[in-house]
Amino acid sequence: MKLKDDFYHIVAMEQGEEQCRCKVRMNPRHFIYKVHFPNFPVTPGVCMVQMVSEILAEFFKRQFVLDTAVNIKFRERMGPEEEATFVFSKIVFDDDRLSVSVSVENDKTQYVKMSMRYQVR
């Protein structure tokens, strides 16, 4: 399920030599927040993982399929009203694979930290 332009919207993208950054705004009226959880909405972890794949596709103009979630640490709950930045570092392309570290954060909070491996399509 594609989440971009429905569940979240890209506000800004910045690509540097050692790091890529993508600021997103969540859609608080999306149906996912009505069920996860109705009176205390939380951005599902699986949605954050999908967002990483979609944002990587935007940066590199390629499709990526998650191969291995090496490490995922959820540190704080991310609600629907949040504006968060996905910070991609340790980006390593090796043949048809991509390894990347990702932090989802804002000025005050780190929501999740991930180390992921993808197959490049």
Side-chain angles (χ1 to χ4, degrees), residues 2 6 9 17 21 38 62 70-71 74 77-78 117 119-120:
K2 183 181 169 216
D6 186 23
H9 299 277
E17 285 186 33
R21 300 173 70 81
R62 299 165 137 177
V70 179
N71 195 1
F74 294 96
R77 127 187 139 75
M78 188 169 115
R117 282 194 217 125
Q119 290 181 357
V120 180

Side-chain angles (χ1 to χ4, degrees), residues 21-90:
R21 300 173 70 81
C22 181
K23 189 172 189 175
V24 301
R25 182 175 299 126
M26 308 309 293
N27 174 3
R29 291 175 298 285
H30 197 276
F31 76 91
I32 288 174
Y33 288 119
K34 291 180 183 10
V35 296
H36 197 269
F37 298 96
N39 295 320
F40 191 69
V42 176
T43 303
V46 69
C47 291
M48 288 190 221
V49 170
Q50 176 64 24
M51 291 168 71
V52 168
S53 299
E54 292 179 11
I55 293 167
L56 284 169
E58 288 289 316
F59 273 119
F60 297 108
K61 305 301 183 216
R62 299 165 137 177
Q63 293 302 308
F64 298 94
V65 176
L66 181 62
D67 183 50
T68 307
V70 179
N71 195 1
I72 301 177
K73 291 183 183 175
F74 294 96
R75 298 181 177 271
E76 292 289 331
R77 127 187 139 75
M78 188 169 115
E81 303 295 333
E82 306 297 333
E83 241 184 44
T85 300
F86 284 68
V87 180
F88 299 87
S89 60
K90 299 180 186 171

Side-chain angles (χ1 to χ4, degrees), residues 1-20:
M1 170 188 220
K2 183 181 169 216
L3 300 176
K4 185 178 164 282
D5 299 327
D6 186 23
F7 183 65
Y8 72 98
H9 299 277
I10 294 175
V11 175
M13 295 180 79
E14 174 185 319
Q15 191 167 356
E17 285 186 33
E18 295 185 20
Q19 203 177 72
C20 297

Side-chain angles (χ1 to χ4, degrees), residues 98-114:
L98 166 69
S99 297
V100 64
S101 293
V102 185
S103 176
V104 181
E105 57 194 48
N106 66 19
D107 294 337
K108 297 178 252 169
T109 305
Q110 183 183 53
Y111 300 107
V112 63
K113 188 175 180 181
M114 306 180 221

